Amino acid sequence: MEDLQKVVQGIRPLNKDYLTQAQIRLDNLTKPVGSLGKLEDIARRYASIKEDLNPSINNKVIFTFAGDHGVVDKHVSAYPRSVTVQMVLNILAGGAAVNVLARHVGARVVVVDMGVDYDFEPVEGFVIRKIGYGTRDFTEGPAMSYDNAVRSIKTGIDLADEYADKGVDMIGTGEMGIGNTTPSSAIQSVLTGLAPAEVAGRGTGINDETLRNKIDVIETALAVNRPNPDDPIDVLAKVGGFEIGGIAGLIIGGAYRRIPVIVDGFISTAGALIAVAMNPAINEYIFYSHLSSEAGHRKMLEKLKQEPILQLDMRLGEGTGGAIAMTVIEAAIKIMAQMATFESAGVDKASI
Amino acid sequence: MEDLQKVVQGIRPLNKDYLTQAQIRLDNLTKPVGSLGKLEDIARRYASIKEDLNPSINNKVIFTFAGDHGVVDKHVSAYPRSVTVQMVLNILAGGAAVNVLARHVGARVVVVDMGVDYDFEPVEGFVIRKIGYGTRDFTEGPAMSYDNAVRSIKTGIDLADEYADKGVDMIGTGEMGIGNTTPSSAIQSVLTGLAPAEVAGRGTGINDETLRNKIDVIETALAVNRPNPDDPIDVLAKVGGFEIGGIAGLIIGGAYRRIPVIVDGFISTAGALIAVAMNPAINEYIFYSHLSSEAGHRKMLEKLKQEPILQLDMRLGEGTGGAIAMTVIEAAIKIMAQMATFESAGVDKASI
């Protein structure tokens, strides 16, 4: 716990000098000032995170954290619990959406078993860091112990650290866990003060009746557990999930090592809410990849005061939105690195 | 002219069977139904255009049409006319934004001189199809003759045809022409019935005074020329530009050859307005790459009843937004082609 706080408190706000220097560079390129919009915002902030005006992007990894959820027994999802295992195997075999999109953008997918209710055979590229066989049903008590919440976060930090040492220069978050929009909505409710009915959505595609039940379940969980909004680890322990803790940790670890973290959709942003609640400076190291069509996501991003890069009406998770955003971010970096300047190209500047 | 009408009228609405077949295929992939949002819309329509449920994308070309505009003498732009030539040379040298982004997504850039006020040396990859040395100032009469409007459109059609024969399977539009938001806004005003003040914007970054002047200039042009809103070629001739005609033609030619056309921003969409006015079925062959931050663009897309793929606050032109959209479209196609099905992966379907 002491180590965790040391890492969290060790993350500093971005050095504004790099933002300024990157802007000067962008303004000298052969284009009207500001005409590349969000690409320029991305390039500027990316350079500031790396403290490098010409950062290279050679090694991109998407971490797909998997975990099961006891609350699935309360019928909150359109899919049976068994699908978590099946989809982990599908991702390991390269057949899931995140695999296709990661290959397209030149990223690797690393699957992390944080707490799936199954004993997997070890295979290459699969990281088993199981904290339990699924969380407990949090309508009847905490999802996990406080110690296990800390462990799940530390697991994410350690992974960021390990892959930073391996030369990874961009990290994406992702997840697979049937039922995990329910803990994500619960986390959002506690950390934003919004009622469960304002933030809960249809997840993988539940009907009206199941949605009403899901809201009831979250309300019960909050009443039973009374998570402390001033202690994000307590929130994670009481109404979270192992994979959400892993995501929060990966974000913290990425920020600590100055690696830009590309946060995927709704569940990943719940992880970001926990990380940013621990130290607001962490938010500056995060790029929010896309606006999910899951109902509560827009309000999460409003709370975090950040704009998503893409709006593709996606709601799949796994890291799929993050994968596509990675190639947009890479485009922005190349703009800063490769475009001609007004001087080098002999182009006149604006006359008014 | 007879040939042109034959091509235009030869373009048929999409075969809805392919939309249905593509949807069935997408719904069998290991993901909740509809959870990839716009990627699924893109894949479905792309397959319908190609009449192929597993289309390949191996050969992507962005055509950057260049032309000068007599109306620049009326001080409508932030940049001097000389910048058209300078930027054409910059693109040919590979230093412009469109070059960087095209390289990033694996597309080629083909620059087409439709009417720049300069005699370029021929170089490889540069297509010289000059129709004039810039349009006439359309506050004093038509920008070009009716015959030259037809010629500019035919030039675009011929290019699409030539590159279709070369095996190009995705085409992007782009342009370079100092002053060309002014004719684009004029075209929009005529074809949508909106007043110039409602559609004119700041282009490359003009100030309030220049914007007021730009609106005056467009109002004068419309009063002097009285373009016929029922004849898109008359509109192009009176208040258009050579490069805008080339774009309209490229779109028509792409649709005729069943090649998806990725339309860039504001000026390219003005070309699309002309093409679609000639035959509404053409609109089904177009992907609108992004929402430009140029003021009138949103209303253009509303008129065309299509959603942009990206919203990155870009306003650069050249084909830059189209380049980034190309890689998103390619991602969508790969999703359809490469993902596992529920059956092949042994994943359970939704239970409710």
Side-chain angles (χ1 to χ4, degrees), chain B:
Chain B
M1 186 54 199
E2 212 172 77
D3 284 348
L4 175 56
Q5 284 307 333
K6 201 177 130 197
V7 171
V8 168
Q9 298 312 322
I11 298 164
R12 320 304 311 170
L14 297 184
N15 182 337
K16 298 293 182 286
D17 288 350
Y18 284 92
L19 292 173
T20 310
Q21 291 301 316
Q23 189 62 57
I24 290 170
R25 182 156 175 159
L26 288 163
D27 290 350
N28 275 321
L29 303 176
T30 50
K31 58 170 188 53
V33 169
S35 62
L36 282 174
K38 286 186 185 172
L39 293 189
E40 299 192 30
D41 300 339
I42 290 167
R44 215 165 42 226
R45 191 147 66 87
Y46 199 98
S48 307
I49 293 170
K50 293 278 195 182
E51 302 202 334
D52 181 351
L53 292 176
N54 191 9
S56 60
I57 302 181
N58 301 310
N59 200 336
K60 307 188 291 282
V61 176
I62 294 166
F63 292 89
T64 304
F65 293 93
D68 270 311
H69 297 268
V71 71
V72 166
D73 295 344
K74 291 293 191 291
H75 313 293
V76 290
S77 178
Y79 285 84
R81 185 185 178 103
S82 56
V83 168
T84 305
V85 175
Q86 294 164 357
M87 281 301 300
V88 164
L89 295 171
N90 190 21
I91 299 171
L92 289 171
V98 70
N99 303 106
V100 175
L101 296 175
R103 281 197 298 269
H104 177 58
V105 304
R108 277 180 297 155
V109 177
V110 172
V111 185
V112 187
D113 176 9
M114 293 292 294
V116 180
D117 187 12
Y118 187 76
D119 282 309
F120 292 99
E121 295 295 318
V123 290
E124 209 182 306
F126 184 30
V127 178
I128 300 179
R129 302 279 163 92
K130 199 185 280 293
I131 292 170
Y133 291 82
T135 54
R136 288 189 296 262
D137 176 355
F138 56 45
T139 62
E140 297 169 3
M144 66 185 90
S145 68
Y146 197 92
D147 278 356
N148 276 345
V150 171
R151 269 182 71 201
S152 71
I153 294 173
K154 279 188 170 172
T155 301
I157 293 175
D158 288 346
L159 280 168
D161 203 42
E162 180 185 331
Y163 279 78
D165 287 341
K166 289 180 182 171
V168 168
D169 41 36
M170 199 196 291
I171 281 177
T173 72
E175 40 55 52
M176 170 48 59
I178 293 304
N180 66 7
T181 59
T182 299
S184 300
S185 296
I187 289 167
Q188 177 176 12
S189 181
V190 177
L191 293 179
T192 64
L194 295 165
E198 291 177 88
V199 298
R202 291 179 189 275
T204 49
I206 56 175
N207 59 22
D208 289 350
E209 188 190 333
T210 310
L211 177 58
R212 277 192 301 272
N213 174 58
K214 181 176 175 178
I215 293 166
D216 283 349
V217 162
I218 297 170
E219 286 170 348
T220 302
L222 300 185
V224 167
N225 292 291
R226 302 186 154 271
N228 176 3
D230 297 323
D231 180 357
I233 298 173
D234 184 64
V235 179
L236 176 65
K238 285 176 173 165
V239 297
F242 297 132
E243 81 278 43
I244 298 172
I247 289 166
L250 189 81
I251 295 168
I252 293 166
Y256 188 73
R257 293 295 301 265
R258 298 197 157 280
I259 297 173
V261 184
I262 321 307
V263 163
D264 190 33
F266 185 67
I267 295 114
S268 285
T269 309
L273 282 173
I274 288 173
V276 171
M278 294 175 76
N279 179 350
I282 292 169
N283 206 18
E284 301 183 33
Y285 295 80
I286 299 173
F287 292 92
Y288 292 91
S289 61
H290 77 115
L291 177 65
S292 168
S293 59
E294 175 69 5
H297 197 220
R298 184 183 294 272
K299 284 176 182 163
M300 280 186 178
L301 295 178
E302 283 169 8
K303 166 82 177 172
L304 291 158
K305 297 189 173 61
Q306 279 217 47
E307 289 271 327
I309 295 172
L310 301 163
Q311 304 191 28
L312 294 170
D313 300 337
M314 291 164 63
R315 52 179 172 81
L316 178 55
E318 299 178 4
T320 49
I324 301 180
M326 278 183 168
T327 198
V328 176
I329 293 167
E330 202 161 348
I333 298 306
K334 288 181 178 175
I335 282 290
M336 192 162 62
Q338 299 178 8
M339 266 184 76
T341 62
F342 283 101
E343 196 179 16
S344 73
V347 174
D348 296 334
K349 288 200 171 190
S351 54
I352 54 170

Side-chain angles (χ1 to χ4, degrees), chain A residues 3 233 258 291 350:
Chain A
D3 285 345
I233 297 174
R258 297 197 160 281
L291 178 65

Side-chain angles (χ1 to χ4, degrees), chain A residues 149-348:
Chain A
V150 170
R151 270 182 70 201
S152 71
I153 294 174
K154 279 187 172 174
T155 301
I157 293 175
D158 288 347
L159 280 168
D161 203 42
E162 181 186 331
Y163 279 78
D165 287 342
K166 288 180 182 170
V168 167
D169 41 37
M170 199 195 291
I171 282 178
T173 72
E175 41 56 51
M176 169 47 58
I178 294 303
N180 67 7
T181 59
T182 299
S184 299
S185 296
I187 290 166
Q188 178 177 13
S189 181
V190 178
L191 292 179
T192 65
L194 295 166
E198 291 178 271
V199 298
R202 291 179 188 275
T204 49
I206 56 176
N207 59 24
D208 288 351
E209 188 191 335
T210 310
L211 177 57
R212 276 192 302 272
N213 173 57
K214 181 176 174 178
I215 293 166
D216 283 349
V217 162
I218 297 170
E219 285 170 348
T220 303
L222 300 184
V224 166
N225 291 290
R226 303 186 154 273
N228 176 4
D230 296 324
D231 181 359
I233 297 174
D234 184 63
V235 179
L236 177 65
K238 286 176 172 164
V239 297
F242 297 132
E243 80 278 43
I244 298 172
I247 290 166
L250 190 82
I251 294 168
I252 294 166
Y256 188 72
R257 293 295 301 263
R258 297 197 160 281
I259 297 172
V261 183
I262 321 308
V263 164
D264 188 32
F266 185 66
I267 295 115
S268 285
T269 309
L273 281 174
I274 289 174
V276 171
M278 293 175 77
N279 179 351
I282 291 169
N283 207 19
E284 300 182 35
Y285 294 82
I286 299 172
F287 292 92
Y288 293 91
S289 61
H290 78 114
L291 178 65
S292 168
S293 58
E294 174 69 5
H297 197 220
R298 186 183 293 273
K299 283 176 182 163
M300 280 185 178
L301 295 177
E302 282 169 6
K303 166 80 177 174
L304 290 159
K305 297 189 173 62
Q306 279 218 43
E307 290 271 325
I309 295 171
L310 301 164
Q311 303 189 29
L312 294 170
D313 300 336
M314 291 164 65
R315 52 178 173 83
L316 178 55
E318 299 177 5
T320 49
I324 302 180
M326 278 183 168
T327 199
V328 176
I329 293 168
E330 201 161 348
I333 298 306
K334 287 181 178 175
I335 283 289
M336 190 163 63
Q338 298 178 10
M339 268 184 74
T341 62
F342 283 101
E343 196 180 18
S344 72
V347 174
D348 295 335

